[in-house]
Amino acid sequence: QEEQWKKKGISFDFLWEEAYPKRLKEISDPPLVLYRIGKLPEPEKKMAAIVGARACSSYGKEMAEYFARGLAKEGVGIVSGMARGADGIAQRAALSAGGYSVAVLGCGVDICYPEENRPLYEKLKESGCILSEYPPGTLPHSRLFPPRNRIISALADAVIIIEAREKSGSLITADFALEQGKEVFALPGRANDPLSGGCNRLIQGGANMLLSPSDVLEFLGMKYE
């Protein structure tokens, strides 16, 4: 089996190994094994997670792109879940700006889900990284997605929520981030827009209001040109 994985370019790191990401070792429930295709982020690299609604509005699309590109250009790696909507848009923007991106999947790393993100998946294999705690061949299933969000937030120094309803997967990521002591930034939206309900609620509860990439860069201790 390992031979077949190697042929597909899949490698894996155990929790106790040197290569296993240090940030993941620090959370309360790190995956025992991490399967991957591509190269892990450098331990010192600043990372930001960008997650948001699958059915994001044109405002959400524009902002996911704007923040991902702005941060990637300054050398910040972008972590997300390669989902349709905000996630995929942010990761595509980061790569097209010449930046680095990691996708954490809710299925095996050898499975591209959703299929419409195939071009992004191929690009991540080449110049980024695809990770999963689930063994290769694991098919996507709704119950596998929420747990992977703890890995997305763990790999990041700051977590950005682009658009989220009051009950959404993005808010699960925000909860994990807060539990892990990470800084959360939420994009404000119109008070009567259900897609912004979750973000506005996060801001009301004390999350940082996201207005420009410099907000995140400043928090990361990076100069914004």
Side-chain angles (χ1 to χ4, degrees), residues 2 4 6 10-11 13 24 26 29 51 57 84 93 124 132 142 159 162 168 177 184 204 223:
E2 282 180 37
Q4 289 173 321
K6 277 211 175 83
I10 300 169
S11 46
D13 305 294
L24 259 185
E26 291 165 354
D29 50 351
V51 295
S57 68
R84 63 171 59 96
L124 284 164
S132 179
S142 57
V159 175
I162 290 291
S168 84
V184 175
Q204 194 177 38
K223 282 274 170 280

Side-chain angles (χ1 to χ4, degrees), residues 20 29-35 104-109 131-136 138 144-151:
Y20 191 98
D29 50 351
L32 193 57
V33 192
L34 206 53
Y35 301 91
V104 184
L105 305 186
C107 55
V109 290
L131 293 181
S132 179
E133 64 181 312
Y134 308 117
T138 306
L144 301 182
F145 287 91
R148 65 92 193 251
N149 293 346
R150 80 188 191 288
I151 302 174

Side-chain angles (χ1 to χ4, degrees), residues 1 8 27 35 52 70-71 76 96 127 136 141 164 188 199 201-202 207:
Q1 186 149 33
K8 288 181 170 179
I27 65 170
Y35 301 91
L71 293 171
V76 178
S96 69
S127 51
H141 189 283
C199 285
R201 193 68 70 203
L202 281 172

Side-chain angles (χ1 to χ4, degrees), residues 198-215:
C199 285
N200 292 342
R201 193 68 70 203
L202 281 172
I203 293 165
Q204 194 177 38
N208 297 289
M209 190 187 289
L210 183 69
L211 298 175
S212 112
S214 58
D215 298 337

Side-chain angles (χ1 to χ4, degrees), residues 44 58 64 71 77 86 112 115 136:
E44 299 313 308
S58 54
L71 293 171
C112 175
E115 184 54 50

Side-chain angles (χ1 to χ4, degrees), residues 47-52 77-92 100-106 120 124 129-131 148-149 151-153 155-156 160 173:
M47 302 288 289
I50 299 184
V51 295
I78 302 299
V79 192
S80 197
M82 208 185 86
R84 63 171 59 96
D87 290 29
I89 290 164
Q91 294 192 274
R92 269 195 296 278
Y100 170 85
S101 187
V102 186
V104 184
L105 305 186
L120 170 61
L124 284 164
C129 186
I130 296 168
L131 293 181
R148 65 92 193 251
N149 293 346
I151 302 174
I152 293 177
S153 55
L155 290 172
I160 294 171
T173 310

